[in-house]
Amino acid sequence: MSVTATTTAVASTARRKVLPGFGLTMGYTVLYLSLVVLLPLSALLFNSTGLSWAKFWDVATDARVLASYRVSLSTAAAAALADAFLGLLLAWVLVRYEFPGKRLFDALIDLPFALPTAVAGVSLTALYANKGWIGSWLEPLGLKVAFTPIGITLALMFIGIPFVVRTVQPVLEELDRDMEEASATLGAGRWRTFRKIVLPELFPPLLTGFSLAFARGIGEFGSVVFISGNMPMRTEIAPLLIMSKLEQFDYAGATAVALLLLLISFLMLLVINTLQRWVRKTSR
Amino acid sequence: MAGTVPLYAPQSRKSVSSPATQESAVVKWLLIAAAGLVLFWLIVLPLIVVLTESLKKGVDVYLAALTDPDARSALRLTLLVALITVPLNTIFGIAAAWAVTKFRFRGKGFLITLIDLPFAVSPVIGGLIFILVFGAHGWFGPWLSAHDIKIVFAIPGIILATLFVTFPFVARELIPLMEDQGTQEEEAAITLGAKGWQIFLRVTLPNIKWGLLYGIILCNARAMGEFGAVSVVSGHIRGETNTLPLHVEILYNEYQFSASFAVASLLLLLALVTMILKSWLSRKNAH
Amino acid sequence: MKKRIKKGLLTGFTLLLTVGLTACGNSTNSAGNPPAEATNSGSTTAATTEPTKAPSKDPVELLNVSYDPTRELYENYNKAFSAYWEKEHGQKVTIKQSHGGSGKQSRAVLDGLEADVVTLALGYDIDALQETGLIHEGWQSKFDHNSSPYTSTIVFLVRKGNPKGIKDWPDLLKEGVEVITPNPKTSGGARWNYLAAWGYALDHNNNDEAKAEEFVKELFKHVPVLDTGARGATTTFVERGIGDVLLAWENEAYLSVKELGPDKFDIINPSESILAEPPVAIVDKVVDKRGTREVAEAYLKYLYTEEGQKIAAENYYRPTLESVKEEYKDKFPEIKLFTLADKFGTWKETQEKHFNDGGVFDKIYVPGK
């Protein structure tokens, strides 16, 4: 393997000593990324260039399309935010405490990934529809969950929670306790220590978890269509519009909507990732 | 240990730490209770629905649903797909995490975002892009059809779509973790004369093994549970290109609700088994 | 720096290739074999049968790509046809089934799913295949009755005892009545629902299009949930208990009553509805390639025979053969039915006017357009 050869190379840009394997891992990363992700995705780009700019603009700024973007983005953001808080709580409890049933607790976190999204959608609708276990309790209170944006948010929270827990958990596990101890020795209260010492360390993975849950939420289809009610302008999500365009054999229109959606989430991820790296740098 | 109030001696650093870094018992149990409540509300309740629905018509229907030949062929296909996609994405994840966290280069944030991209792609689109590339009217469509090679609406297409959807999991799990750990240990190893693979196997791997395992488990769970993207490229041929999630949909659409939820619970079971395996590994490791 | 990346690319490529090849090896083993066999046997069949008409003994496989509600129908029919074909021609035929939303299934065939025959919910989805040359022009006149061996119509499913007193289309617009129908943009069945309502309104308003639009607009104001597919809508109505009336295919309505509780629902036949004609067609390009034309044609033709028609009737599809019609006339009550051609013209025109983006259906929901 070429690894030994690369070890002798001297880095000019890095302050750090150079570790081996940059060429190998970078090359492989780029290649695999291109083959599995970028090449197929570029098909999307080329397919929608079949549209003229004017037509593309027409499709993308249609009132119904705009409304669906609004629904998708706002519910995904709300769900990711809620997941960030709840996920931190779950991860904290899982890493720091011992209690009976902890292993089962831990194992349950991943199940939203394993459950086919459609099943998740059906189950959640069964729970929250006005004759469901929870829905029938909420109905007298005048709170409607199923077939409203709240329902969509709930479904997305279900889909997204493992992202947050599983990105925070490993970092929390590896977190050095010495700093916390030092802080405690210096007389800081537990809450203050948490805020000043632990939280800054956890902020990057929290942001990652948030952004992943958010990105996943924007594109989610299977679980949402059951609980959203799909009312145009109100609870219709963008991926559903893509589907309905395909149903008219309008591939170009569908890819145009998809491309714009992709662009929005890509930019958001980019901003969050940059922010995250910046936070890390300043906290060092 | 710097604690000045060692009321009781800590036994292991991981689980029971000095009291200075622990919350009071009240806070601790309150937090546990809150977490339990969240878990119950968000995750357990929907699962209870799945289980009660699957057992509504009795154990016979449940077992019949699982031993049905179509269900078994779907299970085989699902396992095959996971068996191929998970290792591929794991290798990629490790390579990407190494490249991203151990070196400095320009455009790193951009690269990480590209890795995240499949998460942001709607599953419908995740399937559609492979149709655009390999479908009859896609880029390679005419060539493939001339050579009688089937990619979409056959197993290779299902594998590709799953590969795409589960692409970021391992990498995304490892990057924050390895970033957090920095490079000092590896650098120390290199000063001591260790070679590339040695460093990775002896120094890095032990440090990242839990993160890696999480990544693999998530990747695996998602690979088995993926519905949207696979649904687009599968062609839904019974007993041939139906995965378990697709089989769930078929049963559901045939009004066989109990059977459908039974197969879904099988997927949950598979996921639980992988988690318990992880648990077992970590316990074995602790001793 | 560049050199190292190049080296990495190379090593990476080899690595990927090795893993990829082993993976492909696995998958082609399990995926490639059956189709390969099928093509072989298919071509030999064609070669031997065409000149001599001598039956070939090689087993043959057909793929029937169909829409959602026909699962039970074709499950029974395939058995009957296999038995018939083996008895008549001494050849074993296996029919593989694929089911899904009609539009989605049509797209799959369009994009390369090698279906020998398609049996879909509406002509529009088969027209799309014709446009790309997969199916020859004039497919609709190839078999009797517009290539629709069985028909259906749109009826109302209401809760037991019909508490809201729903008898006909205008009752759907009564205060407080909630109507469940899937989204016409994503569901073939829902398009028939929409057109049935439109056609009724035309008939009762001296063919005034504006009045019909008003009627349909009002109707969709009573729809609280738009599911993406017909079976999703049925679940919403039956399992979730939402809505007072479900607009459904007649066959779907009977099936859901049978499967989900005869004591819970009633079927109401409106005074007038649409004759839904789910068409069938041979995918010419595929059967020619695979050499399965003869058996594929026989497969569809057999749908028109007495046995095929009986199976359709048993599965709540309206038969077209007079003798079978007579036999099952108690099962299918007389409803005044109009056809798509009567009121709307071709599918292409209908689709463009009503369901495409910016069409009449969109106007119901998008304000100011």
Side-chain angles (χ1 to χ4, degrees), chain C residues 36 76 108 131 181 186 221 256 259 275 281 299 318 320-321 352:
Chain C
N76 295 325
E131 264 169 43
T181 169
T186 51
K221 284 200 182 127
S256 41
E259 295 275 328
L275 179 73
Y299 178 75
R318 292 186 172 226
T320 49
L321 192 72
E352 269 163 19

Side-chain angles (χ1 to χ4, degrees), chain C residues 139-149 278-281 304:
Chain C
W139 62 268
Q140 198 136 30
S141 49
K142 196 152 178 181
F143 297 97
D144 291 342
H145 307 290
N146 286 327
S147 286
S148 303
V280 300
Y304 288 90

Side-chain angles (χ1 to χ4, degrees), chain B:
Chain B
M1 295 265 158
T4 48
V5 274
L7 285 177
Y8 41 85
Q11 288 137 353
S12 102
R13 213 180 138 262
K14 263 265 139 83
S15 51
V16 187
S17 189
S18 74
T21 59
Q22 283 215 320
E23 291 74 42
S24 68
V26 180
V27 174
K28 173 183 161 184
W29 286 105
L30 269 179
L31 284 176
I32 292 178
L37 214 63
V38 168
L39 190 79
F40 181 78
W41 164 61
L42 208 57
I43 297 176
V44 177
L45 260 181
L47 299 185
I48 292 178
V49 173
V50 173
L51 288 179
T52 50
E53 288 285 331
S54 68
L55 290 169
K56 221 179 197 170
K57 296 222 172 110
V59 182
D60 295 351
V61 174
Y62 186 92
L63 290 177
L66 299 189
T67 48
D68 174 73
D70 277 356
R72 274 185 306 185
S73 94
L75 175 64
R76 263 198 306 278
L77 180 58
T78 295
L79 291 177
L80 173 78
V81 169
L83 213 65
I84 293 170
T85 51
V86 173
L88 277 175
N89 280 339
T90 304
I91 296 172
F92 161 76
I94 295 170
W98 183 272
V100 165
T101 58
K102 301 295 179 196
F103 306 94
R104 307 181 139 202
F105 54 90
R106 230 178 275 166
K108 196 185 269 188
F110 189 72
L111 182 68
I112 296 179
T113 310
L114 280 182
I115 293 175
D116 283 345
L117 207 53
F119 279 146
V121 175
S122 177
V124 181
I125 295 301
L128 185 69
I129 51 176
F130 289 101
I131 302 268
L132 293 177
V133 175
F134 298 110
H137 304 280
W139 291 347
F140 305 121
W143 187 86
L144 288 170
S145 125
H147 291 76
D148 221 5
I149 302 172
K150 283 188 191 167
I151 302 266
V152 286
F153 309 118
I155 293 169
I158 298 176
I159 290 172
L160 277 173
T162 312
L163 215 52
F164 179 87
V165 171
T166 58
F167 177 83
F169 277 95
V170 177
R172 225 48 196 90
E173 198 61 45
L174 290 183
I175 289 171
L177 182 63
M178 281 167 72
E179 198 124 282
D180 210 58
Q181 288 169 349
T183 53
Q184 288 100 332
E185 289 187 39
E186 282 85 359
E187 278 161 21
I190 222 170
T191 332
L192 294 173
K195 295 268 165 55
W197 283 107
Q198 279 177 313
I199 298 177
F200 175 72
L201 291 175
R202 302 268 175 80
V203 180
T204 315
L205 198 59
N207 274 337
I208 61 165
K209 59 176 187 260
W210 297 125
L212 182 64
L213 209 56
Y214 280 139
I216 292 176
I217 287 168
L218 292 189
C219 182
N220 182 59
R222 190 91 163 81
M224 289 188 182
E226 176 53 25
F227 171 77
V230 170
S231 157
V232 176
V233 295
S234 117
H236 302 268
I237 306 170
R238 295 193 160 202
E240 219 170 86
T241 60
N242 274 328
T243 61
L244 275 185
L246 297 182
H247 190 63
V248 170
E249 191 212 16
I250 286 179
L251 290 172
Y252 191 78
N253 278 343
E254 283 175 352
Y255 299 126
Q256 301 188 39
F257 298 132
S258 291
S260 146
F261 281 103
V263 177
S265 74
L266 179 67
L267 275 164
L268 291 176
L269 206 71
L270 284 174
L272 267 177
V273 166
T274 50
M275 274 316 288
I276 286 163
L277 212 67
K278 181 230 143 197
S279 232
W280 176 75
L281 275 175
S282 65
R283 196 183 307 175
K284 204 176 146 206
N285 201 273
H287 286 305

Side-chain angles (χ1 to χ4, degrees), chain C residues 261-333:
Chain C
D263 50 336
K264 289 190 207 140
F265 306 100
D266 284 328
I267 291 172
I268 304 289
N269 296 302
S271 66
E272 186 178 2
S273 192
I274 195 162
L275 179 73
E277 297 169 299
V280 300
I282 285 178
V283 185
D284 294 291
K285 218 169 167 180
V286 175
V287 293
D288 287 343
K289 182 181 165 196
R290 298 188 56 220
T292 47
R293 178 175 287 277
E294 191 195 13
V295 57
E297 257 169 26
Y299 178 75
L300 293 186
K301 275 203 184 114
Y302 195 67
L303 279 169
Y304 288 90
T305 63
E306 194 163 332
E307 188 178 11
Q309 291 283 298
K310 273 187 186 167
I311 293 172
E314 286 295 329
N315 286 287
Y316 311 105
Y317 284 88
R318 292 186 172 226
T320 49
L321 192 72
E322 285 306 325
S323 62
V324 181
K325 237 186 203 170
E326 193 56 32
E327 192 184 333
Y328 285 87
K329 76 168 186 249
D330 296 342
K331 207 166 165 179
F332 300 105

Side-chain angles (χ1 to χ4, degrees), chain C residues 10-21:
Chain C
L10 219 72
T11 349
F13 195 69
T14 354
L15 198 65
L16 203 69
L17 219 63
T18 350
V19 188
L21 280 181

